[in-house]
């Protein structure tokens, strides 16, 4: 078997994390030779990745900011008896934009013809043989000083041990009349919660373009398509948007674990979902994926593993607390009452605390403010207690 070119970095998985790492490396280590391998026919899938601007570390802004497709100065949340505008700037990166920017990066490195390179190989799955070697789809072995596992959920050996799920169906529309809102509504929550916490998510990309996404937090990974379509249609009707063209659909399901994930021994450096670099309680990957990319790219080559491990260790209490919140949500509170947890979050927390929570930089005092207070109605304490004992979670009761 041929042993092909050696790279400084081999990135396995060209989704959100793999592409962010490519951009951070191009900025901090333009001399590095990087191979990015994606099993799908192209990079990035079909997503809209939103985040709070305050999620992004200041030192990552130079390479991160050019990737941002849309920005808004704030957003709304709507619950029964509570509407709040949160004045934290909110923003989005699109799959299409990130794909194009990453391809451009590879073309620019090629045109420079210097030592640095970004080579993209898509269309075949790649196997991680060791922390410094991968096997490509054609069987060729490739060495890398660092192999970075960015395979997302595909890296996990099976379903998560104990988790709830956040499932989504979203449509992007062109609308025939001006959309009535200029800022996102991150949660539009109606009182008739049928089978878990559900809400509509609204991103106005312009006066005539909007993404409407149905989201449900539930014990099971399925999504009620009819319910999603009904809520989206209701919102279009409320907005007076009768003349619409559907431009795109995105869907997916994200586990929200309350058990710590198992990690394979001697595994390669792992980022994104594969490495636990995502916010377990919000489902947002961006804050930790951007942080991972920046730390990795700044680290001296022989210190990459150590610096990432130190950063993860420094964050382990927060990761544990995020999983604990998921346990509270999925095991302690009954499905029809879950929305009250989120209403309380937005009722009592200041913008500073909200921003630190989403950015995964919350303090002990922030954590206490989230959980200490009058308990929600609809508790299931027995189920909550059982969730600590069963390795597969409490089961549906
Ligand atoms: C519908 C939906 C909406 C979301 N919205 C947001 C949001 O607004 N903001 C946010 O921050 N997060 C959001 N998330 C979460 C976020 O999309 C994911 O957590 C994030 O994509 C994880 O990044 P990743 O790079 O680890 O994995 P992915 O983006 O899934 O990328 C993994 C890549 O690895 C590839 N791959 C897998 N196995 C192999 C292999 N053997 N060889 C080569 N390639 C391989 C896959 O094809 C894929 O392209 C959302 C998730 C969903 C499902």
């Amino acid at each position: 078997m041929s042993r092909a070119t050696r790279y400084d970095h081999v990135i396995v998985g060209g989704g959100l994390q793999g592409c962010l790492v490519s951009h951070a490396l191009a900025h901090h280590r333009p001399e590095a030779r990087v191979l990015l391998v994606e099993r799908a026919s192209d990079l990035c899938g079909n997503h809209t990745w939103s985040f709070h601007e305050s999620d992004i570390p200041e030192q990552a802004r130079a390479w991160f900011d050019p990737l941002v497709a849309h920005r808004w100065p704030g957003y709304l949340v709507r619950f029964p008896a509570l509407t709040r505008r949160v004045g934290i700037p909110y923003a989005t990166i699109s799959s299409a934009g990130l794909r194009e920017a990453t391809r451009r990066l590879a073309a620019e490195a090629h045109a420079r013809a210097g030592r640095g390179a970004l080579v993209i190989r898509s269309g075949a799955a790649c196997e991680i043989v060791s922390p410094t070697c991968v096997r490509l789809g054609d069987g060729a072995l490739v060495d890398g000083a660092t192999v970075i596992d960015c395979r997302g959920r595909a890296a996990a050996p099976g379903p998560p041990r104990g988790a709830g799920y956040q499932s989504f169906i979203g449509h992007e529309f062109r609308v025939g009349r001006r959309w009535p809102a200029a800022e996102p509504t991150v949660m539009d929550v109606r009182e008739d919660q049928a089978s878990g916490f559900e809400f509509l998510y609204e991103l106005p990309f312009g006066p005539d373009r909007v993404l409407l996404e149905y989201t449900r937090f539930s014990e099971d990974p399925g999504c009620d398509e009819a319910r999603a379509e009904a809520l989206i249609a209701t919102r279009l009707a409320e907005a007076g948007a009768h003349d619409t063209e559907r431009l795109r659909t995105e869907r997916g399901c994200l586990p929200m674990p309350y058990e710590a994930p198992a990690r394979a021994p001697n595994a390669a450096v792992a980022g994104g979902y594969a490495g636990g670099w995502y916010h377990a309680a919000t489902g947002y990957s961006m804050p930790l994926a951007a942080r991972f990319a920046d730390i990795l790219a700044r680290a001296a080559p022989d210190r990459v593993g150590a610096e990432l491990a130190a950063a993860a260790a420094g964050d382990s209490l927060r990761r544990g607390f995020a999983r604990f919140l998921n346990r509270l949500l999925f095991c302690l509170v009954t499905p029809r009452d879950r929305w009250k947890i989120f209403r309380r979050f937005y009722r009592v927390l200041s913008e500073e605390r909200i921003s630190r929570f989403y950015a995964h930089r919350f303090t002990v005092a922030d954590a206490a403010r989230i959980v200490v207070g009058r308990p929600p109605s609809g508790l299931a304490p027995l189920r909550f207690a059982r969730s600590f004992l069963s390795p597969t979670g409490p089961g549906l009761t």
Side-chain angles (χ1 to χ4, degrees), residues 271-333:
Y273 202 88
W277 290 79
Y278 66 99
H279 196 316
T282 64
Y284 284 76
S285 275
M286 200 64 84
L288 291 173
R291 200 185 298 175
F292 174 89
D294 201 65
I295 294 171
L296 182 145
R298 280 172 186 274
D302 60 340
R303 297 267 316 141
V304 167
E307 299 217 358
L308 287 167
D315 220 19
S316 65
L317 284 178
R318 290 190 190 92
R319 291 181 188 211
F321 180 72
R323 288 195 299 270
F324 177 70
L325 289 180
N326 287 347
R327 191 183 289 276
L328 288 180
L329 188 67
F330 290 107
C331 306
L332 183 63
V333 184

Side-chain angles (χ1 to χ4, degrees), residues 56-347:
I56 308 306
E58 266 321 300
Q59 67 271 19
R61 292 240 163 242
W63 60 265
F64 184 90
D65 278 357
L67 304 174
V68 177
H70 295 278
R71 290 192 156 88
W72 299 269
Y75 63 85
L76 283 185
V77 289
R78 284 184 217 279
F79 295 86
L82 176 75
T83 295
R84 177 174 177 188
R85 179 181 184 274
V86 180
I88 305 172
Y90 195 71
T92 282
I93 286 183
S94 68
S95 282
L98 185 57
R99 179 162 49 240
E100 240 172 71
T102 310
R103 292 215 165 274
R104 212 164 39 238
L105 209 59
E108 284 164 6
H110 184 69
R112 275 200 312 273
R115 185 174 130 57
L118 171 61
V119 176
I120 300 173
R121 298 269 300 252
S122 54
C126 164
E127 183 194 342
I128 298 176
V129 177
S130 80
T132 57
C133 180
V134 301
R135 182 177 289 109
L136 300 182
D138 61 6
L141 292 171
V142 176
D143 293 319
T146 313
V147 170
I148 308 155
D149 182 354
C150 298
R151 290 174 297 166
R153 283 188 66 191
R161 291 189 295 172
Y165 294 87
Q166 195 177 158
S167 45
F168 317 77
I169 300 180
H171 303 309
E172 187 176 330
F173 296 97
R174 191 187 310 286
V175 292
R177 57 174 290 180
R178 193 177 181 82
W179 190 255
E183 291 187 340
T185 299
V186 165
M187 286 180 187
D188 185 355
V189 182
R190 317 277 160 130
E191 197 153 5
D192 58 331
Q193 300 278 315
S195 56
F197 174 51
E198 61 173 14
F199 58 88
L200 213 58
Y201 175 77
E202 175 176 322
L203 285 186
F205 292 130
D208 66 344
R209 263 180 63 211
V210 65
L211 173 74
L212 294 177
E213 192 162 272
Y214 169 83
T215 303
R216 185 175 81 131
F217 288 47
S218 173
E219 287 87 347
D220 77 82
C223 197
D224 184 343
E225 301 245 351
R227 176 83 177 153
E229 297 304 334
L231 284 183
I232 290 172
T234 302
R235 178 60 188 134
L236 286 172
E238 280 170 3
H242 303 295
D243 171 20
T244 60
E245 178 192 357
R246 191 185 289 185
L247 303 174
R248 195 176 64 86
T249 291
E250 62 180 69
R251 64 182 70 223
C253 177
L254 201 62
M256 301 182 70
Y258 47 81
E259 295 285 347
R263 288 277 287 134
N266 290 327
V269 164
Y273 202 88
W277 290 79
Y278 66 99
H279 196 316
T282 64
Y284 284 76
S285 275
M286 200 64 84
L288 291 173
R291 200 185 298 175
F292 174 89
D294 201 65
I295 294 171
L296 182 145
R298 280 172 186 274
D302 60 340
R303 297 267 316 141
V304 167
E307 299 217 358
L308 287 167
D315 220 19
S316 65
L317 284 178
R318 290 190 190 92
R319 291 181 188 211
F321 180 72
R323 288 195 299 270
F324 177 70
L325 289 180
N326 287 347
R327 191 183 289 276
L328 288 180
L329 188 67
F330 290 107
C331 306
L332 183 63
V333 184
T334 54
R336 70 175 179 284
D337 289 312
R338 283 186 190 138
W339 66 275
K340 294 175 188 165
I341 301 279
F342 293 84
R343 182 175 66 179
R344 181 187 177 275
F345 176 94
Y346 279 107
R347 182 170 272 157

Side-chain angles (χ1 to χ4, degrees), residues 28-45:
H28 292 301
R29 305 216 165 257
E31 75 294 350
R33 290 180 50 76
V34 180
L35 173 67
L36 173 59
V37 193
E38 167 54 45
R39 73 174 171 186
S41 58
D42 212 340
L43 304 173
C44 291

